[in-house]
Amino acid sequence: DGDRRKQISVRGIAGLGDVAEVRKSFNRHLHFTLVKDRNVATPRDYYFALAHTVRDHLVGRWIRTQQHYYERDPKRIYYLSLEFYMGRTLQNTMVNLGLQNACDEAIYQLGLDLEELEEIEEDAGLGNGGLGRLAACFLDSMATLGLAAYGYGIRYEFGIFNQKIVDGWQVEEADDWLRYGNPWEKARPEYMLPVHFYGRVEHTPEGVKWIDTQVVLAMPYDTPVPGYKNNTVNTMRLWSAKAPNDFNLQEFNMGDYIEAVLDRNLAENISRVLYPNDNFFEGKELRLKQEYFVVAATLQDIIRRFKSSKFGCRDPVRTCFETFPDKVAIQLNDTHPALSIPELMRILVDVEKVDWDKAWEITKRTCAYTNHTVLPEALERWPVSMFEKLLPRHLEIIYALNQMHLDRVAALYPGDIDRLRRMSVIEEGDCKRINMAHLCVIGSHAVNGVARIHSDIVKNSVFKDFYELEPEKFQNKTNGITPRRWLLLCNPGLADVIAEKIGEGFITDLSQLKKLLDFIDNETFIRDVAKVKQENKQKFAAYLEEQYKVKINPVSMFDVQVKRIHEYKRQLLNCLHAITLYNRIRCNPSKSFVPRTIMIGGKAAPGYHMAKMIIKLITSIGEVINNDPYVGDKLKVIFLENYRVSLAEKVIPAADLSQQISTAGTEASGTGNMKFMVNGALTIGTMDGANVEMAEEAGEENLFIFGMRVEDVEALDRKGYNAREYYESLPELRQAIDQISSGFFSPRDPSCFRDVVNMLMYHDRFKVFADYEAYIKCQGQVDQLFMDPREWTRKVIRNIACSGKFSSDRTITEYAREIWGVEPSAIAIPPPNIPRN
């Protein structure tokens, strides 16, 4: 009974009327929308009927919100991103609308199981990892904070590939997420817009004309983005590519009508598939087309909305666009939408006939750029030759902007030719390239990193010259996560235990978690937190057994590293620890060990050979360890297949230990680290990314911090990193490497891992061996603490209590005030059932 009451508090009260209403609506949709009765309906039909029922509750609020914006004409925020990693929508919508209990009860009364229906929904996997998921969290926070915000991106027909593990290797499968239809999107063909490619530029007395272009149409699909219980529903608008009806049927293909119609696919391929690279630039023409496609369609839409807004263009005296930066903010999520800068210039100068200098001022005041990585291989550097062919006018504009920029630098630093070379948007060399990051910096009024240490690196190394030129441009905005999805939705048990002690205010003001510090010695609370974690572990263990037929020990330490597979994230360091633990157990089978289940999950880019080898190594180590009778259930190594948002929602609440072990100075922020912290895992990590601020908030003694700091890495670089020194001087490391090398973990192919060993020994940019000793020692401290469950749980509580800073609500509030110049609003819009004024 008490359990029921707690649930009601956080999940919304299920009024009898609401339950009856949901049932009625569900049956109506089953009948009229899906055209089925209960005799022939499948579980998927039931999912769709429920999705439509919940969607109905969004529609009135969605229309009302957009009406409200039209009347108030606030400054609009446009978040441009090539990735939105949304995951599933059903449960998130129920949570944010306070409908979860009503739906739960109604579905139960209909003899169905809500959780079972939720599992049918496909993830919207329109992202690779952190950058795409950040965009999704930001949309949730912008709606919850009542900002007039829009997410703009591409409606990929195929999102991030599904990962299958076959014989221990990653195999990719197309993610046909739209196969059964998407109940959450609404196509808007009436707002279809043309996007131009190729062609040539003509300079005429009337101005510049871009002519003889190929046209692709951009069809918008809108998805509602509900705020948390504030009746605000914002829009995410994703563009899909359509060929125009006369495509290739001009003079060009006179004879072959059939060929011409089949060729429509060429145009429509633009929105076919998400590029599966995380932190890596692949200079493919199709990708450049995608980047321009989203930018060109979005900017037309922004300008249409600006012009037609109630107070948009009423003053005939000034140029219409004077007020543009007061009404529009464009945030560039990394350099992928960088073409917004020359495209806005092109529209203002060529189309709207605004004076060049005025247009440049407007553009800079409108745009802001978020940098997401310092890895050189991730920086976008497009060949000039590709631009010349695909976007000839934009190339001219970029040249002119660069000239203006370099003239300014030359005036300030006369004779400093090397500085001009370093700061140019155009990189000279065997292949001339456009440095998109430089374009973003000169074309934006604000540039930010995503954690304090990263923003410092941005100022002191990546964009040092630019920082010296305009220090006031550079800011920090430490990333955050939405507490709705990453606490309330994925960990209702913990949310209830917290709400019982401090009320529900933390859901929209995560800093209130600080109040939990009062209960750090409260035995009931300590017991309740530990109990929730144990229940989450049982549930995840059951899921693993059901889905993947692997049995794990639910009282073992759940030691988890989930993130994209990349050398800089150092899954290999984790592997070396697993092998070392294994060797210690084999060496001393009778000794008592703290039982561990090491879980590693994540996708490797299909073209990234080393990342794929790392997956094979993890699965091979698991094969040996998990089948060794001497080990029993003291140690298991599990590779979590097809890691994605919906799997994160299951594994994160069950984790005891969160591994955040990148080489200091390489992980810009990380956000998984924050999700684990708020869900009651302890962190083992380096002083990198947001780990630094997590340690600052919770106290360094409440995390397991180890290894080199940024300064140590730089010192080691100056000295020269020599892996062999560590190999020679650390016997346990040598044993592990020799085992990998000799084929101990790949008896059927002894040389299987020679590339991995060769990399670790002779060209490891990320210095795995240099942190090995400190890491193993630190893992020993983890074991020690885990043997004292009360002390472990007290540290867990302290971590949860200190995680408030890492809400995306705080992040977005900072963007709003310090970059976009708008104030978040706590005032709810009137609900649809209350008549308007």
Side-chain angles (χ1 to χ4, degrees):
D1 211 40
D3 280 358
R4 197 87 194 117
R5 199 166 55 249
K6 272 188 301 186
Q7 266 195 1
I8 284 169
S9 79
V10 176
R11 292 182 160 203
I13 290 111
L16 288 180
D18 299 333
V19 175
E21 167 57 40
V22 169
R23 280 177 60 183
K24 192 175 147 203
S25 181
F26 178 91
N27 286 322
R28 190 174 53 81
H29 277 295
L30 194 61
H31 188 82
F32 288 104
T33 310
L34 294 153
V35 198
K36 291 278 185 96
D37 62 33
R38 292 290 303 257
N39 303 306
V40 292
T42 64
R44 177 165 280 106
D45 292 319
Y46 294 136
Y47 157 71
F48 275 108
L50 179 57
H52 281 103
T53 299
V54 171
R55 182 177 160 274
D56 286 348
H57 286 263
L58 280 170
V59 171
R61 292 174 170 94
W62 197 4
I63 291 171
R64 175 70 67 94
T65 300
Q66 300 311 311
Q67 231 163 265
H68 179 77
Y69 293 155
Y70 181 75
E71 279 152 20
R72 287 214 10 268
D73 194 34
K75 183 171 184 177
R76 265 107 164 163
I77 313 304
Y78 295 101
Y79 196 84
L80 268 65
S81 181
L82 266 88
E83 304 185 18
F84 287 95
Y85 204 170
M86 302 296 284
R88 292 172 177 160
T89 298
L90 174 60
Q91 197 184 352
N92 186 248
T93 305
M94 293 189 304
V95 165
N96 279 12
L97 262 39
L99 283 174
Q100 235 187 338
N101 268 338
C103 291
D104 209 348
E105 183 58 34
I107 294 301
Y108 172 76
Q109 288 178 13
L110 289 160
L112 299 166
D113 176 26
L114 181 59
E115 229 177 290
E116 214 171 284
L117 299 189
E118 287 168 348
E119 282 298 310
I120 292 169
E121 182 176 359
E122 301 273 357
D123 278 48
L126 308 185
N128 277 286
L131 173 146
R133 182 55 233 176
L134 187 79
C137 284
F138 278 6
L139 293 184
D140 181 90
S141 286
M142 290 187 291
T144 296
L145 292 169
L147 297 176
Y150 302 76
Y152 273 94
I154 294 176
R155 180 180 176 267
Y156 300 106
E157 200 176 317
F158 297 93
I160 188 65
F161 60 86
N162 283 314
Q163 179 191 58
K164 290 268 188 290
I165 300 297
V166 178
D167 294 328
W169 298 93
Q170 167 176 298
V171 175
E172 300 87 21
E173 216 170 61
D175 166 41
D176 193 5
W177 71 292
L178 294 168
R179 180 175 42 225
Y180 299 104
N182 175 3
W184 304 106
E185 70 183 7
K186 176 74 185 82
R188 299 278 186 207
E190 66 275 23
Y191 293 116
M192 188 132 62
L193 293 168
V195 175
H196 298 264
F197 293 102
Y198 303 107
R200 57 194 178 85
V201 181
E202 220 167 50
H203 292 260
T204 72
E206 298 82 65
V208 183
K209 293 200 167 68
W210 180 20
I211 54 169
D212 298 340
T213 55
Q214 291 182 25
V215 175
V216 177
L217 299 175
M219 163 93 81
Y221 285 79
D222 289 355
T223 300
V225 179
Y228 182 74
K229 293 183 181 176
N230 66 349
N231 299 319
T232 295
V233 181
N234 284 344
T235 301
M236 174 177 67
R237 176 162 283 181
L238 302 180
W239 301 102
S240 185
K242 283 282 277 163
N245 286 331
D246 62 358
F247 185 78
N248 268 7
L249 282 169
Q250 302 95 325
E251 64 292 344
F252 178 66
N253 248 347
M254 213 86 72
D256 209 336
Y257 164 75
I258 298 290
E259 263 315 292
V261 172
L262 297 184
D263 278 348
R264 293 169 61 86
N265 280 321
L266 274 48
E268 296 173 358
N269 277 337
I270 290 176
S271 56
R272 195 79 67 202
V273 60
L274 168 74
Y275 273 85
N277 302 318
D278 188 73
N279 275 298
F280 183 77
F281 171 61
E282 185 178 5
K284 293 276 191 284
E285 184 176 37
L286 182 62
R287 169 68 173 198
L288 185 58
K289 279 185 174 166
Q290 289 181 339
E291 291 183 354
Y292 181 62
F293 176 75
V294 64
V295 158
T298 300
L299 275 164
Q300 289 179 73
D301 218 29
I302 290 174
I303 286 165
R304 174 192 57 75
R305 198 176 286 116
F306 168 74
K307 284 183 170 178
S308 69
S309 77
K310 228 172 173 180
F311 311 103
C313 273
R314 295 296 172 263
D315 185 353
V317 187
R318 282 203 309 254
T319 315
C320 199
F321 286 89
E322 289 271 343
T323 60
F324 192 74
D326 305 321
K327 287 294 176 191
V328 172
I330 295 174
Q331 191 67 36
L332 307 175
N333 194 25
D334 213 321
T335 56
H336 312 148
L339 286 165
S340 299
I341 291 163
E343 174 68 2
L344 183 52
M345 284 297 285
R346 186 189 69 80
I347 295 168
L348 292 175
V349 174
D350 295 359
V351 181
E352 302 291 345
K353 308 296 182 197
V354 177
D355 166 76
W356 177 275
D357 291 327
K358 186 80 211 147
W360 185 230
E361 186 207 325
I362 291 167
T363 298
K364 281 201 291 192
R365 284 180 54 209
T366 301
C367 297
Y369 158 57
T370 302
N371 173 274
H372 281 273
T373 181
V374 298
L375 296 182
E377 64 268 32
L379 295 181
E380 293 198 290
R381 295 155 61 250
W382 290 104
V384 165
S385 54
M386 198 183 285
F387 253 84
E388 213 155 25
K389 186 170 72 137
L390 195 69
L391 300 167
R393 178 56 180 148
H394 297 77
L395 182 61
E396 289 187 351
I397 290 168
I398 289 167
Y399 272 133
L401 295 175
N402 190 44
Q403 193 55 57
M404 216 164 54
H405 158 63
L406 291 181
D407 287 348
R408 186 180 162 209
V409 175
L412 285 164
Y413 301 93
D416 193 342
I417 304 301
D418 197 55
R419 182 180 298 263
L420 291 177
R421 182 192 56 73
R422 291 196 311 267
M423 294 184 77
S424 179
V425 175
I426 310 293
E427 296 179 359
E428 303 293 339
D430 49 336
C431 164
K432 282 177 76 170
R433 292 177 177 274
I434 300 172
N435 184 314
M436 300 303 266
H438 289 185
L439 179 60
C440 285
V441 174
I442 70 167
S444 299
H445 70 279
V447 175
N448 73 281
V450 290
R452 195 200 314 132
I453 186 177
H454 169 234
S455 297
D456 288 342
I457 291 169
V458 160
K459 291 189 288 202
N460 303 326
S461 73
V462 188
F463 299 136
K464 182 171 189 284
D465 295 317
F466 295 89
Y467 176 65
E468 284 169 17
L469 193 67
E470 309 179 278
E472 66 291 339
K473 249 190 203 184
F474 290 81
Q475 303 188 19
N476 173 244
K477 296 285 169 279
T478 300
N479 283 162
I481 58 172
T482 170
R484 272 73 63 184
R485 184 176 293 265
W486 296 113
L487 180 53
L488 216 54
L489 180 156
C490 72
N491 204 340
L494 181 59
D496 283 336
V497 165
I498 293 170
E500 209 180 2
K501 284 282 183 267
I502 67 169
E504 292 179 34
F506 71 91
I507 299 169
T508 50
D509 175 13
L510 206 62
S511 67
Q512 291 188 27
L513 290 178
K514 273 267 178 270
K515 298 177 186 170
L516 292 176
L517 289 173
D518 296 342
F519 302 100
I520 206 121
D521 296 309
N522 178 313
E523 297 305 326
T524 335
F525 188 58
I526 292 173
R527 195 196 55 224
D528 285 346
V529 169
K531 178 165 162 277
V532 165
K533 178 61 74 178
Q534 196 49 48
E535 285 165 0
N536 292 341
K537 289 171 72 172
Q538 305 275 176
K539 188 171 178 183
F540 188 65
Y543 172 81
L544 240 41
E545 203 174 333
E546 185 226 322
Q547 289 287 310
Y548 303 105
K549 312 284 172 254
V550 272
K551 244 181 129 42
I552 58 174
N553 172 10
V555 299
S556 65
M557 183 198 306
F558 284 14
D559 167 346
V560 182
Q561 186 180 25
V562 283
K563 51 189 70 241
R564 286 296 291 256
I565 310 294
H566 202 297
E567 288 160 84
Y568 88 84
K569 293 176 186 283
R570 296 202 297 191
Q571 282 91 357
L572 285 170
L573 189 53
N574 197 349
C575 290
L576 292 176
H577 174 247
I579 295 171
T580 302
L581 235 38
Y582 172 65
N583 288 331
R584 286 179 181 180
I585 293 168
R586 284 284 306 245
C587 200
N588 205 339
S590 55
K591 187 167 172 275
S592 84
F593 282 86
V594 176
R596 279 201 195 219
T597 305
I598 298 174
M599 306 183 212
I600 305 176
K603 291 174 183 175
Y608 189 174
H609 172 251
M610 187 56 65
K612 289 188 145 180
M613 290 308 304
I614 291 168
I615 290 175
K616 176 60 174 171
L617 178 61
I618 296 163
T619 55
S620 304
I621 291 169
E623 195 100 297
V624 170
I625 292 178
N626 302 347
N627 294 302
D628 187 324
Y630 285 104
V631 177
D633 60 7
K634 291 208 256 294
L635 181 62
K636 290 269 181 277
V637 174
I638 309 287
F639 186 83
L640 297 174
E641 196 175 304
N642 203 29
Y643 180 64
R644 59 200 185 281
V645 175
S646 58
L647 186 56
E649 291 164 6
K650 296 179 174 71
V651 67
I652 291 172
D656 291 307
L657 186 67
S658 157
Q659 298 232 34
Q660 309 296 336
I661 57 179
S662 53
T663 311
T666 62
E667 187 73 90
S669 166
T671 44
N673 47 4
M674 303 167 188
K675 292 162 196 170
F676 283 103
M677 185 184 195
V678 79
N679 279 284
L682 297 186
T683 303
I684 184 167
T686 50
M687 276 297 198
D688 199 20
N691 298 356
V692 178
E693 289 160 82
M694 286 164 52
E696 186 176 300
E697 293 295 303
E700 204 174 315
E701 69 283 3
N702 294 301
L703 282 76
F704 297 97
I705 299 289
F706 73 92
M708 298 180 289
R709 311 298 201 249
V710 170
E711 308 75 57
D712 305 317
V713 175
E714 288 168 351
L716 187 51
D717 274 325
R718 286 192 298 272
K719 172 184 167 249
Y721 169 65
N722 179 2
R724 181 149 235 110
E725 290 174 20
Y726 301 93
Y727 172 84
E728 303 288 5
S729 64
L730 301 168
E732 288 188 305
L733 173 60
R734 186 181 331 132
Q735 182 185 9
I737 293 298
D738 289 349
Q739 285 168 311
I740 296 170
S741 187
S742 68
F744 181 86
F745 296 106
S746 53
R748 271 179 279 175
D749 179 7
S751 67
C752 183
F753 299 116
R754 60 156 185 246
D755 288 354
V756 177
V757 173
N758 185 52
M759 181 274 291
L760 285 170
M761 294 295 292
Y762 303 110
H763 30 87
D764 176 8
R765 297 164 56 203
F766 303 105
K767 307 176 174 63
V768 171
F769 292 2
D771 275 338
Y772 170 83
E773 193 176 15
Y775 179 58
I776 300 296
K777 183 163 171 267
C778 195
Q779 286 281 21
Q781 292 160 8
V782 174
D783 281 334
Q784 281 304 304
L785 189 66
F786 197 74
M787 289 191 290
D788 183 347
R790 184 174 179 277
E791 273 313 301
W792 180 277
T793 305
R794 284 180 75 244
K795 268 209 198 324
V796 162
I797 292 166
R798 182 163 266 122
N799 270 267
I800 296 169
C802 295
S803 66
K805 172 179 180 179
F806 304 105
S807 168
S808 48
D809 297 344
R810 186 268 317 150
T811 310
I812 288 298
T813 299
E814 292 179 11
Y815 276 96
R817 291 177 178 156
E818 297 162 29
I819 296 179
W820 305 329
V822 294
E823 249 322 290
S825 144
I827 304 150
I829 292 176
N833 54 349
I834 291 173
R836 300 177 52 228
N837 305 344

